């Protein structure tokens, strides 16, 4: 959960750092502490990550907050330390990015008399010093606040989002020689595919500015799984490439991509993004997923156990199933592997904010763009693609959701702020009565799935009417 939340806000924190001068690692750590990794009531219901009240001790600063209020009960203390409950007004934001910006605007603009309350924070390049400046300015009364903030930064390797160093990735071609022949097509060997894919990933990641090492110098060389994991020492990420199998027989009903991530959850965010990229590029029928598998000695998989032992976030990326005939045919096409490697490298670069990610191209993109095997939507003002956010298309008036890789999501149920929505074959949010997988559902005028009884009234022509249908 923690890594998924960090992945959700990392790009917004990095974008904010460019304008506010506040280290992204510090912003992310504060959000983690103060919103309980995005699970607090204010974070879920009001996109308020930092508990920002409508009025903060009379301070004023240039803010993009639109004045929206979310009220909730909160505990206060009187002058002698007795607790009492009041209903307080908190700021409600349209997005998590807006919450981050308003918080940074406060930290860089709040005054203490004629002086900046947090003077020296903007432009500070040491996270512990930045945390001390925030504490000294009166932000928190907890005497251990600085240590808690730094512990979150260090345990989650948040300095990777501050820039200033070349990120290093270790790639592992999961098998050697001629291994795991497909029962659907005798030409396919998993070892051949992952060798080609790994070399392509290396090429495209290097183009983005990553330093890349591999666990094998040639395809014929074998190496123990644990040893391949520890080869990632000093790297920021370890990826072992594979295709999956259902026993040793053809099974055309199963094709989901999966990322098997370290049980410490250090690779969950990027793992989910990469699995979703595989789903989008390959067009699998089943949705991407991540899993964390434990064994008697820690992580179930030796390569992940090795990576974890040297402090590297690690994952195994399963590129669907080579026991599926359609998947096997797709993976046998070298042009497809090239597209897949490009998309995966681009998603990694976008996640970590490295190099030319395509999110800040020299010529700004605007609107819908088909790329990396799916559809993205770009804001014309900034040239940034929409990530983890709803967008209402101004042309058709329909709502669309874009995932952590910036890809439009389609043919799937999606939960947002406690409500279920269904995104159709074209990605648009569905409304009204819908037959989904052989079952009938009612989605109201906001696209939310009804969970309480509803009344459908026949119109004059006999058709059933309810708000949102018609």
């Amino acid at each position: 959960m923690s890594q998924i939340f960090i992945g959700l806000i990392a790009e917004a924190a990095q974008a904010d750092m460019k304008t506010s001068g506040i280290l992204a690692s510090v912003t992310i750590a504060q959000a983690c502490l103060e919103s309980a990794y995005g699970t607090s009531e204010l974070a879920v219901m009001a996109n308020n990550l930092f508990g920002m009240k409508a009025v903060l001790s009379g301070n004023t600063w240039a803010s993009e907050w639109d004045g929206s209020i979310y009220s909730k009960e909160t505990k206060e203390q009187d002058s002698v330390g007795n607790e009492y409950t009041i209903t307080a007004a908190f700021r409600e934001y349209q997005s998590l990015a807006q919450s981050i910006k308003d918080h940074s605007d406060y930290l860089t603009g709040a005054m203490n008399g004629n002086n900046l309350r947090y003077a020296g924070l903007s432009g500070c390049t040491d996270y512990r010093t930045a945390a001390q400046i925030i504490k000294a300015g009166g932000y928190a009364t907890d005497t251990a606040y600085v240590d808690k903030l730094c512990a979150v930064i260090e345990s989650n390797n948040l300095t990777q989002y501050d820039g200033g160093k070349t990120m290093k990735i270790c790639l592992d071609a999961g098998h050697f020689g001629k291994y795991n022949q497909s029962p659907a097509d005798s030409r396919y060997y998993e070892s051949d595919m992952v060798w080609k894919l790994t070399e392509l990933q290396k090429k495209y990641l290097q183009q983005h500015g990553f330093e890349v090492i591999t666990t094998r110098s040639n395809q014929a060389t074998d190496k123990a799984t644990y040893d391949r994991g520890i080869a990632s020492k000093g790297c920021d990420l370890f990826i072992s490439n594979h295709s999956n199998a259902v026993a040793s027989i053809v099974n055309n009903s199963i094709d989901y991509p999966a990322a098997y991530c370290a049980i410490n959850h250090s690779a969950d965010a990027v793992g989910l993004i990469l699995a979703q990229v595989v789903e989008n590029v390959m067009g699998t029928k089943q949705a991407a997923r991540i899993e964390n598998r434990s064994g008697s000695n820690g992580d179930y998989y030796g390569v992940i156990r090795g990576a974890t032992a040297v402090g590297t976030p690690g994952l195994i990326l399963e590129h669907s199933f080579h026991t599926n005939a359609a998947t096997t045919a797709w993976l046998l096409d070298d042009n497809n592997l090239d597209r897949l490697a490009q998309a995966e490298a681009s998603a990694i670069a976008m996640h970590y904010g490295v190099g030319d990610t395509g999110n800040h191209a020299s010529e700004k993109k605007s609107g819908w763009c088909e790329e990396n095997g799916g559809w993205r939507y770009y804001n014309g003002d900034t040239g940034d693609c929409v990530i983890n956010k709803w967008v209402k298309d101004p042309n058709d008036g329909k709502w669309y959701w874009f995932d952590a890789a910036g890809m439009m999501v389609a043919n799937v149920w999606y939960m947002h702020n406690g409500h279920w929505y269904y995104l159709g074959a074209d990605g648009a949010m569905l409304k009204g009565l819908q037959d989904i997988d052989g079952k009938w559902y009612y989605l109201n005028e906001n696209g939310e799935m009804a969970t309480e009884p509803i009344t459908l009234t026949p119109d004059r022509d006999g058709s059933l009417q309810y708000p949102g249908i018609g």
Side-chain angles (χ1 to χ4, degrees):
M1 175 65 75
S2 62
Q3 289 300 313
I4 292 175
F5 174 69
I6 289 168
L8 184 66
I9 64 170
E11 185 171 3
Q14 288 176 307
D16 175 77
M17 181 174 65
K18 294 177 182 178
T19 57
S20 71
I22 300 174
L23 289 170
S25 59
V26 173
T27 298
I28 296 169
Q30 284 193 284
C32 291
L33 274 181
E34 294 169 36
S35 73
Y37 291 89
T39 63
S40 69
E41 178 184 344
L42 283 173
V44 173
M45 303 304 295
N47 286 319
N48 188 330
L49 295 174
F50 306 96
M52 297 281 279
K53 289 185 177 179
V55 178
L56 283 87
S57 304
N59 276 300
T60 59
W61 62 93
S63 173
E64 291 188 356
W65 173 53
D66 63 8
S68 298
I69 297 293
Y70 180 83
S71 297
K72 68 180 289 289
E73 290 188 349
T74 185
K75 292 186 181 298
E76 301 285 347
Q77 285 187 344
D78 61 23
S79 58
V80 294
N82 296 316
E83 282 193 349
Y84 61 96
T85 301
I86 64 169
T87 298
F90 292 84
R91 298 184 173 212
E92 182 174 350
Y93 300 101
Q94 299 305 308
S95 67
L96 298 180
Q98 190 181 62
S99 174
I100 288 171
K101 186 174 189 315
D102 189 44
H103 180 252
S104 292
D105 287 343
Y106 163 71
L107 290 176
T108 57
M111 303 297 291
N112 183 14
N114 294 323
N115 300 313
L116 287 172
R117 180 175 291 274
Y118 306 102
L121 178 60
S122 180
C124 179
T125 57
D126 178 78
Y127 64 83
R128 180 166 287 273
T129 301
Q132 290 168 342
I133 291 171
I134 292 170
K135 174 69 172 68
Y139 186 92
T141 57
D142 186 347
T143 57
Y145 187 75
V146 172
D147 289 337
K148 288 179 179 179
L149 207 60
C150 291
V152 173
I153 292 171
E154 291 159 6
S155 64
N156 292 287
N157 189 27
L158 296 184
T159 54
Q160 65 184 290
Y161 299 108
D162 293 334
K165 74 180 184 72
T166 301
M167 285 197 67
K168 188 176 181 180
I169 294 180
C170 181
L171 298 177
D172 174 51
H175 297 290
F176 80 107
K178 292 288 186 180
Y179 188 84
N180 275 356
Q181 186 178 32
S182 167
D185 191 320
S186 61
R187 296 174 299 163
Y188 181 91
Y189 288 88
E190 181 183 357
S191 54
D192 288 344
M193 187 279 289
V194 295
W195 176 260
K196 291 177 182 178
L197 181 64
T198 299
E199 291 297 298
L200 289 167
Q201 288 172 335
K202 178 181 178 181
K203 178 179 76 171
Y204 291 119
L205 284 168
Q206 288 174 332
Q207 289 179 7
H208 281 288
F210 290 94
E211 180 183 350
V212 182
I213 64 171
T214 56
T215 60
R216 302 181 192 275
S217 58
N218 59 74
Q219 188 181 356
T221 302
D222 191 16
K223 196 172 184 179
T225 56
Y226 185 83
D227 292 341
R228 301 206 310 269
I230 64 174
S232 68
K233 184 176 182 180
C235 292
D236 298 288
L237 181 65
F238 172 83
I239 301 173
S240 183
N241 289 305
H242 292 262
S243 60
N244 216 332
V246 181
S248 57
I249 59 173
V250 176
N251 185 323
N252 292 324
S253 64
I254 298 177
D255 70 349
Y256 61 84
Y260 296 100
C261 303
I263 58 175
N264 64 10
H265 302 288
S266 59
D268 284 4
V270 69
L272 179 59
I273 287 170
L274 287 172
Q276 290 173 336
V277 167
V278 176
E279 176 192 347
N280 287 323
V281 176
M282 294 187 66
T284 61
K285 295 179 181 178
Q286 294 177 303
R289 62 187 68 179
I290 64 169
E291 293 186 27
N292 309 93
R293 291 189 174 179
S294 299
S296 57
N297 296 311
D299 278 282
Y300 177 82
Y301 297 102
V303 286
I304 305 303
R305 198 161 58 249
T308 299
V310 295
T312 307
L315 65 97
I316 291 172
L317 187 59
E318 296 280 8
H319 296 81
S320 190
F321 284 72
H322 60 254
T323 45
N324 182 298
T327 294
T328 304
W330 196 96
L331 291 171
L332 278 168
D333 187 329
D334 288 349
N335 291 324
N336 288 337
L337 294 184
D338 189 81
R339 283 199 303 124
L340 187 57
Q342 285 191 61
E344 290 172 343
S346 176
I348 293 170
M350 183 179 295
H351 175 67
Y352 290 111
V354 172
D356 178 11
T357 65
N359 205 32
H360 294 279
S362 56
E363 181 178 346
K364 288 182 180 178
K365 297 180 181 179
S366 180
W368 291 97
C369 289
E370 187 174 11
E371 54 192 23
N372 295 338
W375 286 93
R376 288 192 171 113
Y377 192 89
Y378 287 84
N379 290 318
D381 293 339
T382 64
D384 295 338
C385 73
V386 174
I387 293 176
N388 284 322
K389 191 175 180 181
W390 290 105
V391 167
K392 186 177 184 180
D393 189 324
N395 296 315
D396 63 18
K398 296 179 180 179
W399 287 92
Y400 300 82
W401 176 261
F402 295 84
D403 65 20
M407 292 294 183
M408 182 192 76
V409 176
N411 285 321
V412 69
W413 285 101
Y414 177 74
M415 176 173 273
H416 181 70
N417 287 346
H419 297 287
W420 282 103
Y421 301 83
Y422 192 82
L423 302 158
D426 62 353
M429 175 203 295
L430 298 185
K431 299 179 183 181
L433 273 177
Q434 300 289 340
D435 180 359
I436 301 171
D437 295 329
K439 295 182 180 179
W440 285 96
Y441 299 87
Y442 175 70
L443 306 164
N444 69 17
E445 59 267 34
N446 297 318
E448 301 164 354
M449 182 186 74
T451 56
E452 300 293 333
I454 62 171
T455 300
L456 302 177
T457 304
D459 202 357
R460 291 181 180 179
D461 62 359
S463 62
L464 295 175
Q465 297 296 314
Y466 190 84
I469 302 178

